[in-house]
């Protein structure tokens, strides 16, 4: 299991924070690197949530969520939303979208989604989102590789 995890970690990814509003309206967020694009038409993306996550019920019970792709100067956000803590949004700047989803400022890209499908997959659920709105900015991405946060190097092509 540890070896499998280490082997999976050889796939370099970006880093996202996925947010939603919980049943009582409290903001929820979780650091996620399982984000992937799925379809252009209709516009679909996916991410996976562990069945053991404290945020599982909030994300399964909501229709709306937002995926934030982090810049290389947002590592503190990645560290914050990887904690198991219900005071995650303390001292974090955000606004609420029309769908009542917490939106974090200063991100590389934001996908505002509504849940399209949820698939049961081992110890995770795969959440497929329909992208209702998106925006992006120019900045370097925060990367995750082999258990470490990193910044992107120079282009090689
Ligand atoms: C770089 C990174 C990527 C992660 N990706 C995922 C992911 O794709 N899905 C997931 O459920 N948890 C992921 N996690 C773990 C969660 O961010 C969080 O640490 C964990 O869910 C514990 O908090 P919780 O029990 O309150 O959810 C990731 C953590 C890190 C640091």
């Amino acid at each position: 299991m540890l070896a499998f995890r280490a082997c999976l970690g050889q796939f370099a990814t970006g880093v996202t924070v996925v947010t939603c509003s919980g049943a009582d309206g409290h903001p929820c967020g979780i650091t996620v690197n399982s984000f992937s694009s799925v379809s252009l038409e209709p516009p679909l993306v996916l991410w996976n949530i562990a069945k053991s996550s404290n945020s599982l019920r909030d994300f399964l019970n909501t229709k709306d969520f937002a995926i934030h792709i982090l810049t290389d100067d947002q590592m503190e956000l990645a560290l914050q939303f990887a904690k198991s803590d219900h005071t995650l949004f303390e001292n974090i700047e955000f606004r609420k979208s029309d769908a009542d989803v917490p939106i974090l400022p200063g991100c590389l890209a934001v996908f505002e989604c509504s849940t399209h499908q949820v698939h049961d997959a081992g110890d995770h659920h795969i959440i497929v989102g329909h992208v209702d709105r998106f925006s992006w900015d120019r900045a370097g991405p925060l990367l995750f590789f082999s258990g470490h946060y990193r910044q992107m190097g120079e282009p090689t092509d």
Side-chain angles (χ1 to χ4, degrees):
M1 161 94 144
L2 275 179
F4 180 47
R5 207 184 169 122
C7 194
L8 291 172
Q10 301 316 298
F11 186 55
T13 68
V15 182
T16 75
V17 171
V18 187
T19 58
C20 72
S21 277
D24 59 1
H26 72 274
C28 306
I30 180 172
T31 298
V32 159
N33 73 340
S34 54
F35 167 80
S36 181
S37 55
V38 174
S39 162
L40 287 177
E41 190 49 56
L44 302 176
V45 296
L46 68 74
W47 63 289
N48 305 330
I49 185 164
K51 290 180 181 174
S52 60
S53 171
N54 288 317
S55 304
L56 179 70
R57 285 293 132 211
D58 291 318
F59 281 103
L60 292 188
N61 288 338
T62 188
K63 190 175 70 62
D64 300 294
F65 60 91
I67 301 172
H68 305 77
I69 299 181
L70 301 187
T71 69
D72 53 13
D73 63 3
Q74 290 181 311
M75 191 180 70
E76 290 303 320
L77 279 182
L79 293 170
Q80 176 76 358
F81 286 103
K83 290 181 192 163
S84 247
D85 186 347
H86 286 292
T87 58
L88 283 174
F89 276 77
E90 256 174 31
N91 303 319
I92 300 272
E93 193 189 334
F94 69 95
R95 67 173 174 86
K96 285 283 190 92
S97 73
D98 294 346
D100 205 35
V101 176
I103 303 293
L104 304 169
C107 296
L108 190 51
V110 181
F111 299 96
E112 293 179 47
C113 301
S114 44
T115 303
H116 179 71
Q117 286 167 326
V118 177
H119 301 279
D120 191 307
D123 56 11
H124 281 62
H125 285 292
I126 302 168
I127 299 181
V128 180
H130 181 279
V131 179
D132 302 314
R133 179 178 299 186
F134 59 89
S135 61
W136 77 92
D137 220 328
R138 283 191 192 281
L142 182 64
L143 302 180
F144 195 70
F145 172 68
S146 201
H148 296 279
Y149 293 102
R150 298 167 192 262
Q151 294 188 351
M152 199 162 71
E154 293 304 310
T156 51
D157 62 351

